[in-house]
Amino acid sequence: MEQSSLWRGVYDHVLVPAWALEGFLLSPVRHLLVLAEDWCGDAANTVPVLARTAELVSGMELRILERDRYPLVMDQYLTNGSRSIPIVIGLDAENRELGHWGPRPAALQEWVLANRKMMPSPQRYAYARKWYAKDKGETTLRELLHAVSAAA
């Protein structure tokens, strides 16, 4: 199932916090390389936040690679042995990796892993969607900034 309407809705309502803009402006990150697919609900909730951030940070560029078209890249960023997405790779001006993040914020990932066997997929997705709507992308931005700053 394609998530383009959700992607557009999230994108249209993103308000990137000043602390995130300042953090990325001061960081060496100049490129965000994102592994994702149109059908991924987690990507639809996080990639629009990253796209809006990249638009607002002078000199930052975002590129999206389709996970299934780039298996050699994807296989370098497996999550517990699976091709979970999105994966965001922060690169400097010379395209050196500074760090990566994904496939979802740590607190939500912990919840998903704890509940995936006990709860049907539609209920897990509904919970995740509410979590993302309440969070407004702030945890994603905070965790990504931390991941790329640790290497700098």
mmCIF file of all heavy atoms in Angstrom, residues 40 42 46 77-87 101-117 124 127-128 131-132 139-140 143:
data_model
loop_
_atom_site.group_PDB
_atom_site.id
_atom_site.type_symbol
_atom_site.label_atom_id
_atom_site.label_comp_id
_atom_site.label_asym_id
_atom_site.label_seq_id
_atom_site.Cartn_x
_atom_site.Cartn_y
_atom_site.Cartn_z
ATOM 1 N N CYS A 40 5.909 2.098 3.062
ATOM 2 C CA CYS A 40 6.316 2.028 4.471
ATOM 3 C C CYS A 40 5.684 3.143 5.308
ATOM 4 O O CYS A 40 5.935 4.327 5.086
ATOM 5 C CB CYS A 40 7.834 2.102 4.564
ATOM 6 S SG CYS A 40 8.425 2.091 6.273
ATOM 7 N N ASP A 42 6.310 3.837 8.482
ATOM 8 C CA ASP A 42 7.321 4.563 9.262
ATOM 9 C C ASP A 42 8.009 5.617 8.396
ATOM 10 O O ASP A 42 8.260 6.733 8.852
ATOM 11 C CB ASP A 42 8.348 3.585 9.844
ATOM 12 C CG ASP A 42 7.756 2.737 10.958
ATOM 13 O OD1 ASP A 42 7.301 3.321 11.960
ATOM 14 O OD2 ASP A 42 7.741 1.507 10.819
ATOM 15 N N THR A 46 8.256 9.811 8.885
ATOM 16 C CA THR A 46 9.537 10.432 9.229
ATOM 17 C C THR A 46 10.221 11.138 8.058
ATOM 18 O O THR A 46 10.788 12.212 8.249
ATOM 19 C CB THR A 46 10.514 9.383 9.807
ATOM 20 O OG1 THR A 46 10.681 8.323 8.867
ATOM 21 C CG2 THR A 46 10.017 8.824 11.123
ATOM 22 N N TYR A 77 22.956 -1.809 6.458
ATOM 23 C CA TYR A 77 22.234 -1.145 7.547
ATOM 24 C C TYR A 77 21.053 -1.989 8.046
ATOM 25 O O TYR A 77 19.983 -1.469 8.328
ATOM 26 C CB TYR A 77 21.739 0.233 7.077
ATOM 27 C CG TYR A 77 22.866 1.121 6.682
ATOM 28 C CD1 TYR A 77 23.273 1.221 5.355
ATOM 29 C CD2 TYR A 77 23.575 1.829 7.649
ATOM 30 C CE1 TYR A 77 24.348 2.026 4.992
ATOM 31 C CE2 TYR A 77 24.639 2.643 7.288
ATOM 32 C CZ TYR A 77 25.024 2.719 5.956
ATOM 33 O OH TYR A 77 26.079 3.511 5.606
ATOM 34 N N LEU A 78 21.272 -3.272 8.167
ATOM 35 C CA LEU A 78 20.210 -4.159 8.632
ATOM 36 C C LEU A 78 19.887 -3.878 10.096
ATOM 37 O O LEU A 78 20.752 -3.492 10.883
ATOM 38 C CB LEU A 78 20.625 -5.614 8.472
ATOM 39 C CG LEU A 78 20.920 -6.077 7.038
ATOM 40 C CD1 LEU A 78 21.349 -7.541 7.046
ATOM 41 C CD2 LEU A 78 19.726 -5.865 6.126
ATOM 42 N N THR A 79 18.635 -4.085 10.454
ATOM 43 C CA THR A 79 18.171 -3.945 11.836
ATOM 44 C C THR A 79 17.805 -5.342 12.326
ATOM 45 O O THR A 79 16.850 -5.932 11.822
ATOM 46 C CB THR A 79 16.938 -3.022 11.907
ATOM 47 O OG1 THR A 79 17.282 -1.753 11.359
ATOM 48 C CG2 THR A 79 16.462 -2.859 13.336
ATOM 49 N N ASN A 80 18.579 -5.866 13.251
ATOM 50 C CA ASN A 80 18.351 -7.221 13.750
ATOM 51 C C ASN A 80 18.228 -8.229 12.606
ATOM 52 O O ASN A 80 17.383 -9.115 12.628
ATOM 53 C CB ASN A 80 17.105 -7.271 14.644
ATOM 54 C CG ASN A 80 17.241 -6.389 15.850
ATOM 55 O OD1 ASN A 80 18.310 -6.272 16.431
ATOM 56 N ND2 ASN A 80 16.155 -5.730 16.220
ATOM 57 N N GLY A 81 19.049 -8.044 11.564
ATOM 58 C CA GLY A 81 19.072 -8.960 10.431
ATOM 59 C C GLY A 81 18.024 -8.706 9.369
ATOM 60 O O GLY A 81 17.973 -9.426 8.372
ATOM 61 N N SER A 82 17.167 -7.674 9.537
ATOM 62 C CA SER A 82 16.118 -7.420 8.539
ATOM 63 C C SER A 82 16.337 -6.086 7.837
ATOM 64 O O SER A 82 17.023 -5.200 8.345
ATOM 65 C CB SER A 82 14.734 -7.449 9.198
ATOM 66 O OG SER A 82 14.544 -6.307 9.987
ATOM 67 N N ARG A 83 15.722 -5.956 6.694
ATOM 68 C CA ARG A 83 15.818 -4.741 5.886
ATOM 69 C C ARG A 83 14.760 -3.720 6.306
ATOM 70 O O ARG A 83 13.973 -3.242 5.498
ATOM 71 C CB ARG A 83 15.682 -5.082 4.408
ATOM 72 C CG ARG A 83 16.843 -5.859 3.864
ATOM 73 C CD ARG A 83 16.660 -6.166 2.406
ATOM 74 N NE ARG A 83 17.880 -6.750 1.856
ATOM 75 C CZ ARG A 83 17.972 -7.293 0.664
ATOM 76 N NH1 ARG A 83 16.913 -7.329 -0.126
ATOM 77 N NH2 ARG A 83 19.113 -7.786 0.246
ATOM 78 N N SER A 84 14.748 -3.373 7.564
ATOM 79 C CA SER A 84 13.786 -2.416 8.104
ATOM 80 C C SER A 84 14.114 -1.012 7.619
ATOM 81 O O SER A 84 15.276 -0.628 7.538
ATOM 82 C CB SER A 84 13.821 -2.449 9.632
ATOM 83 O OG SER A 84 13.484 -3.733 10.108
ATOM 84 N N ILE A 85 13.070 -0.255 7.311
ATOM 85 C CA ILE A 85 13.221 1.106 6.816
ATOM 86 C C ILE A 85 12.254 2.024 7.550
ATOM 87 O O ILE A 85 11.293 1.543 8.140
ATOM 88 C CB ILE A 85 12.983 1.179 5.292
ATOM 89 C CG1 ILE A 85 11.644 0.526 4.927
ATOM 90 C CG2 ILE A 85 14.141 0.581 4.535
ATOM 91 C CD1 ILE A 85 11.259 0.630 3.466
ATOM 92 N N PRO A 86 12.523 3.317 7.502
ATOM 93 C CA PRO A 86 13.597 4.006 6.800
ATOM 94 C C PRO A 86 14.915 3.935 7.563
ATOM 95 O O PRO A 86 14.946 3.760 8.777
ATOM 96 C CB PRO A 86 13.112 5.454 6.749
ATOM 97 C CG PRO A 86 12.299 5.598 7.995
ATOM 98 C CD PRO A 86 11.621 4.260 8.193
ATOM 99 N N ILE A 87 15.974 4.074 6.816
ATOM 100 C CA ILE A 87 17.317 4.245 7.361
ATOM 101 C C ILE A 87 17.822 5.578 6.817
ATOM 102 O O ILE A 87 17.752 5.826 5.612
ATOM 103 C CB ILE A 87 18.272 3.108 6.943
ATOM 104 C CG1 ILE A 87 17.799 1.759 7.495
ATOM 105 C CG2 ILE A 87 19.702 3.425 7.372
ATOM 106 C CD1 ILE A 87 17.841 1.628 9.014
ATOM 107 N N TRP A 101 20.626 6.487 11.333
ATOM 108 C CA TRP A 101 19.480 6.355 12.227
ATOM 109 C C TRP A 101 18.411 5.520 11.548
ATOM 110 O O TRP A 101 18.265 5.556 10.335
ATOM 111 C CB TRP A 101 18.931 7.750 12.534
ATOM 112 C CG TRP A 101 17.645 7.713 13.314
ATOM 113 C CD1 TRP A 101 17.527 7.744 14.671
ATOM 114 C CD2 TRP A 101 16.313 7.627 12.795
ATOM 115 N NE1 TRP A 101 16.194 7.677 15.024
ATOM 116 C CE2 TRP A 101 15.428 7.601 13.878
ATOM 117 C CE3 TRP A 101 15.784 7.553 11.512
ATOM 118 C CZ2 TRP A 101 14.047 7.519 13.733
ATOM 119 C CZ3 TRP A 101 14.412 7.464 11.356
ATOM 120 C CH2 TRP A 101 13.566 7.455 12.472
ATOM 121 N N GLY A 102 17.623 4.821 12.336
ATOM 122 C CA GLY A 102 16.452 4.129 11.808
ATOM 123 C C GLY A 102 16.297 2.764 12.443
ATOM 124 O O GLY A 102 17.168 2.322 13.194
ATOM 125 N N PRO A 103 15.213 2.123 12.209
ATOM 126 C CA PRO A 103 14.129 2.473 11.290
ATOM 127 C C PRO A 103 13.020 3.333 11.901
ATOM 128 O O PRO A 103 12.139 3.818 11.196
ATOM 129 C CB PRO A 103 13.565 1.111 10.899
ATOM 130 C CG PRO A 103 13.768 0.272 12.125
ATOM 131 C CD PRO A 103 15.067 0.757 12.722
ATOM 132 N N ARG A 104 13.054 3.499 13.222
ATOM 133 C CA ARG A 104 12.042 4.347 13.876
ATOM 134 C C ARG A 104 12.622 4.822 15.199
ATOM 135 O O ARG A 104 13.615 4.282 15.659
ATOM 136 C CB ARG A 104 10.716 3.606 14.068
ATOM 137 C CG ARG A 104 10.802 2.348 14.894
ATOM 138 C CD ARG A 104 9.445 1.662 15.062
ATOM 139 N NE ARG A 104 8.863 1.144 13.862
ATOM 140 C CZ ARG A 104 9.002 -0.111 13.409
ATOM 141 N NH1 ARG A 104 9.737 -0.985 14.070
ATOM 142 N NH2 ARG A 104 8.407 -0.490 12.311
ATOM 143 N N PRO A 105 12.004 5.837 15.812
ATOM 144 C CA PRO A 105 12.499 6.315 17.107
ATOM 145 C C PRO A 105 12.618 5.176 18.126
ATOM 146 O O PRO A 105 11.798 4.246 18.148
ATOM 147 C CB PRO A 105 11.443 7.333 17.526
ATOM 148 C CG PRO A 105 10.903 7.845 16.217
ATOM 149 C CD PRO A 105 10.867 6.635 15.323
ATOM 150 N N ALA A 106 13.633 5.254 18.977
ATOM 151 C CA ALA A 106 13.964 4.158 19.899
ATOM 152 C C ALA A 106 12.789 3.747 20.777
ATOM 153 O O ALA A 106 12.534 2.543 20.942
ATOM 154 C CB ALA A 106 15.160 4.559 20.761
ATOM 155 N N ALA A 107 12.057 4.683 21.341
ATOM 156 C CA ALA A 107 10.930 4.336 22.224
ATOM 157 C C ALA A 107 9.843 3.594 21.444
ATOM 158 O O ALA A 107 9.271 2.620 21.941
ATOM 159 C CB ALA A 107 10.363 5.591 22.873
ATOM 160 N N LEU A 108 9.565 4.027 20.231
ATOM 161 C CA LEU A 108 8.557 3.362 19.406
ATOM 162 C C LEU A 108 9.061 1.992 18.954
ATOM 163 O O LEU A 108 8.299 1.020 18.951
ATOM 164 C CB LEU A 108 8.180 4.233 18.209
ATOM 165 C CG LEU A 108 7.095 3.673 17.295
ATOM 166 C CD1 LEU A 108 5.804 3.376 18.065
ATOM 167 C CD2 LEU A 108 6.831 4.650 16.148
ATOM 168 N N GLN A 109 10.326 1.902 18.608
ATOM 169 C CA GLN A 109 10.909 0.624 18.201
ATOM 170 C C GLN A 109 10.797 -0.391 19.348
ATOM 171 O O GLN A 109 10.436 -1.551 19.132
ATOM 172 C CB GLN A 109 12.374 0.803 17.786
ATOM 173 C CG GLN A 109 13.102 -0.476 17.446
ATOM 174 C CD GLN A 109 12.693 -1.076 16.111
ATOM 175 O OE1 GLN A 109 11.709 -0.686 15.497
ATOM 176 N NE2 GLN A 109 13.463 -2.051 15.656
ATOM 177 N N GLU A 110 11.082 0.059 20.555
ATOM 178 C CA GLU A 110 10.989 -0.817 21.719
ATOM 179 C C GLU A 110 9.552 -1.322 21.891
ATOM 180 O O GLU A 110 9.315 -2.505 22.143
ATOM 181 C CB GLU A 110 11.438 -0.059 22.969
ATOM 182 C CG GLU A 110 11.484 -0.882 24.217
ATOM 183 C CD GLU A 110 11.998 -0.073 25.401
ATOM 184 O OE1 GLU A 110 12.967 0.684 25.232
ATOM 185 O OE2 GLU A 110 11.398 -0.214 26.492
ATOM 186 N N TRP A 111 8.585 -0.429 21.734
ATOM 187 C CA TRP A 111 7.181 -0.803 21.857
ATOM 188 C C TRP A 111 6.794 -1.807 20.768
ATOM 189 O O TRP A 111 6.123 -2.808 21.039
ATOM 190 C CB TRP A 111 6.297 0.443 21.794
ATOM 191 C CG TRP A 111 4.851 0.102 21.976
ATOM 192 C CD1 TRP A 111 4.181 0.028 23.158
ATOM 193 C CD2 TRP A 111 3.920 -0.250 20.951
ATOM 194 N NE1 TRP A 111 2.881 -0.355 22.926
ATOM 195 C CE2 TRP A 111 2.695 -0.526 21.588
ATOM 196 C CE3 TRP A 111 4.003 -0.360 19.564
ATOM 197 C CZ2 TRP A 111 1.556 -0.908 20.870
ATOM 198 C CZ3 TRP A 111 2.873 -0.743 18.854
ATOM 199 C CH2 TRP A 111 1.672 -1.005 19.502
ATOM 200 N N VAL A 112 7.191 -1.534 19.521
ATOM 201 C CA VAL A 112 6.864 -2.432 18.403
ATOM 202 C C VAL A 112 7.433 -3.825 18.657
ATOM 203 O O VAL A 112 6.737 -4.832 18.500
ATOM 204 C CB VAL A 112 7.367 -1.855 17.059
ATOM 205 C CG1 VAL A 112 7.309 -2.897 15.959
ATOM 206 C CG2 VAL A 112 6.547 -0.627 16.673
ATOM 207 N N LEU A 113 8.688 -3.895 19.053
ATOM 208 C CA LEU A 113 9.313 -5.196 19.293
ATOM 209 C C LEU A 113 8.624 -5.941 20.439
ATOM 210 O O LEU A 113 8.462 -7.160 20.385
ATOM 211 C CB LEU A 113 10.802 -5.031 19.581
ATOM 212 C CG LEU A 113 11.646 -4.543 18.401
ATOM 213 C CD1 LEU A 113 13.084 -4.303 18.834
ATOM 214 C CD2 LEU A 113 11.561 -5.499 17.216
ATOM 215 N N ALA A 114 8.186 -5.227 21.450
ATOM 216 C CA ALA A 114 7.524 -5.861 22.591
ATOM 217 C C ALA A 114 6.113 -6.332 22.252
ATOM 218 O O ALA A 114 5.609 -7.266 22.882
ATOM 219 C CB ALA A 114 7.480 -4.892 23.769
ATOM 220 N N ASN A 115 5.472 -5.712 21.277
ATOM 221 C CA ASN A 115 4.068 -6.001 20.993
ATOM 222 C C ASN A 115 3.789 -6.681 19.661
ATOM 223 O O ASN A 115 2.641 -7.011 19.378
ATOM 224 C CB ASN A 115 3.255 -4.697 21.074
ATOM 225 C CG ASN A 115 3.175 -4.182 22.475
ATOM 226 O OD1 ASN A 115 2.406 -4.677 23.282
ATOM 227 N ND2 ASN A 115 4.001 -3.204 22.787
ATOM 228 N N ARG A 116 4.786 -6.911 18.850
ATOM 229 C CA ARG A 116 4.522 -7.411 17.501
ATOM 230 C C ARG A 116 3.915 -8.801 17.464
ATOM 231 O O ARG A 116 3.178 -9.122 16.539
ATOM 232 C CB ARG A 116 5.777 -7.330 16.642
ATOM 233 C CG ARG A 116 6.873 -8.275 17.038
ATOM 234 C CD ARG A 116 8.056 -8.130 16.129
ATOM 235 N NE ARG A 116 9.152 -8.920 16.661
ATOM 236 C CZ ARG A 116 10.352 -8.897 16.198
ATOM 237 N NH1 ARG A 116 10.637 -8.106 15.192
ATOM 238 N NH2 ARG A 116 11.293 -9.638 16.723
ATOM 239 N N LYS A 117 4.186 -9.631 18.437
ATOM 240 C CA LYS A 117 3.627 -10.990 18.438
ATOM 241 C C LYS A 117 2.252 -11.051 19.093
ATOM 242 O O LYS A 117 1.486 -11.970 18.838
ATOM 243 C CB LYS A 117 4.589 -11.952 19.130
ATOM 244 C CG LYS A 117 5.862 -12.155 18.345
ATOM 245 C CD LYS A 117 6.792 -13.124 19.014
ATOM 246 C CE LYS A 117 8.065 -13.240 18.172
ATOM 247 N NZ LYS A 117 9.092 -14.017 18.824
ATOM 248 N N ARG A 124 -1.127 -2.277 15.691
ATOM 249 C CA ARG A 124 0.220 -1.733 15.886
ATOM 250 C C ARG A 124 0.409 -0.488 15.029
ATOM 251 O O ARG A 124 0.981 0.498 15.478
ATOM 252 C CB ARG A 124 1.289 -2.779 15.537
ATOM 253 C CG ARG A 124 1.467 -3.849 16.575
ATOM 254 C CD ARG A 124 2.734 -4.667 16.366
ATOM 255 N NE ARG A 124 3.111 -4.927 15.003
ATOM 256 C CZ ARG A 124 2.732 -5.999 14.301
ATOM 257 N NH1 ARG A 124 1.967 -6.914 14.835
ATOM 258 N NH2 ARG A 124 3.153 -6.157 13.059
ATOM 259 N N TYR A 127 -1.422 2.488 16.554
ATOM 260 C CA TYR A 127 -0.683 3.011 17.700
ATOM 261 C C TYR A 127 0.513 3.839 17.218
ATOM 262 O O TYR A 127 0.748 4.950 17.703
ATOM 263 C CB TYR A 127 -0.201 1.868 18.604
ATOM 264 C CG TYR A 127 0.653 2.352 19.743
ATOM 265 C CD1 TYR A 127 0.082 2.719 20.957
ATOM 266 C CD2 TYR A 127 2.044 2.482 19.603
ATOM 267 C CE1 TYR A 127 0.859 3.194 22.006
ATOM 268 C CE2 TYR A 127 2.826 2.957 20.643
ATOM 269 C CZ TYR A 127 2.234 3.309 21.832
ATOM 270 O OH TYR A 127 3.013 3.785 22.860
ATOM 271 N N ALA A 128 1.280 3.286 16.270
ATOM 272 C CA ALA A 128 2.462 3.986 15.749
ATOM 273 C C ALA A 128 2.064 5.318 15.119
ATOM 274 O O ALA A 128 2.730 6.336 15.326
ATOM 275 C CB ALA A 128 3.207 3.116 14.750
ATOM 276 N N TRP A 131 1.429 7.782 17.759
ATOM 277 C CA TRP A 131 2.695 8.145 18.385
ATOM 278 C C TRP A 131 3.419 9.187 17.541
ATOM 279 O O TRP A 131 3.880 10.212 18.057
ATOM 280 C CB TRP A 131 3.561 6.889 18.553
ATOM 281 C CG TRP A 131 4.755 7.106 19.413
ATOM 282 C CD1 TRP A 131 4.871 6.810 20.736
ATOM 283 C CD2 TRP A 131 6.025 7.670 19.018
ATOM 284 N NE1 TRP A 131 6.124 7.165 21.193
ATOM 285 C CE2 TRP A 131 6.847 7.696 20.157
ATOM 286 C CE3 TRP A 131 6.530 8.159 17.822
ATOM 287 C CZ2 TRP A 131 8.148 8.182 20.121
ATOM 288 C CZ3 TRP A 131 7.815 8.652 17.786
ATOM 289 C CH2 TRP A 131 8.611 8.654 18.927
ATOM 290 N N TYR A 132 3.503 8.929 16.234
ATOM 291 C CA TYR A 132 4.169 9.878 15.335
ATOM 292 C C TYR A 132 3.447 11.230 15.319
ATOM 293 O O TYR A 132 4.093 12.285 15.319
ATOM 294 C CB TYR A 132 4.233 9.328 13.911
ATOM 295 C CG TYR A 132 5.319 8.320 13.674
ATOM 296 C CD1 TYR A 132 5.014 7.028 13.262
ATOM 297 C CD2 TYR A 132 6.664 8.655 13.820
ATOM 298 C CE1 TYR A 132 6.015 6.096 13.017
ATOM 299 C CE2 TYR A 132 7.668 7.735 13.579
ATOM 300 C CZ TYR A 132 7.341 6.455 13.175
ATOM 301 O OH TYR A 132 8.333 5.546 12.928
ATOM 302 N N THR A 139 11.466 13.489 17.992
ATOM 303 C CA THR A 139 12.360 12.424 18.449
ATOM 304 C C THR A 139 13.255 11.949 17.307
ATOM 305 O O THR A 139 14.445 11.710 17.513
ATOM 306 C CB THR A 139 11.557 11.247 19.048
ATOM 307 O OG1 THR A 139 10.771 11.755 20.143
ATOM 308 C CG2 THR A 139 12.475 10.163 19.558
ATOM 309 N N THR A 140 12.703 11.849 16.125
ATOM 310 C CA THR A 140 13.507 11.465 14.956
ATOM 311 C C THR A 140 14.649 12.452 14.750
ATOM 312 O O THR A 140 15.803 12.056 14.589
ATOM 313 C CB THR A 140 12.620 11.403 13.693
ATOM 314 O OG1 THR A 140 11.639 10.381 13.869
ATOM 315 C CG2 THR A 140 13.449 11.114 12.448
ATOM 316 N N GLU A 143 17.245 12.148 17.691
ATOM 317 C CA GLU A 143 18.061 10.933 17.596
ATOM 318 C C GLU A 143 19.008 10.977 16.402
ATOM 319 O O GLU A 143 20.154 10.536 16.502
ATOM 320 C CB GLU A 143 17.159 9.699 17.526
ATOM 321 C CG GLU A 143 16.451 9.408 18.826
ATOM 322 C CD GLU A 143 15.546 8.191 18.787
ATOM 323 O OE1 GLU A 143 15.470 7.511 17.730
ATOM 324 O OE2 GLU A 143 14.911 7.909 19.821
#
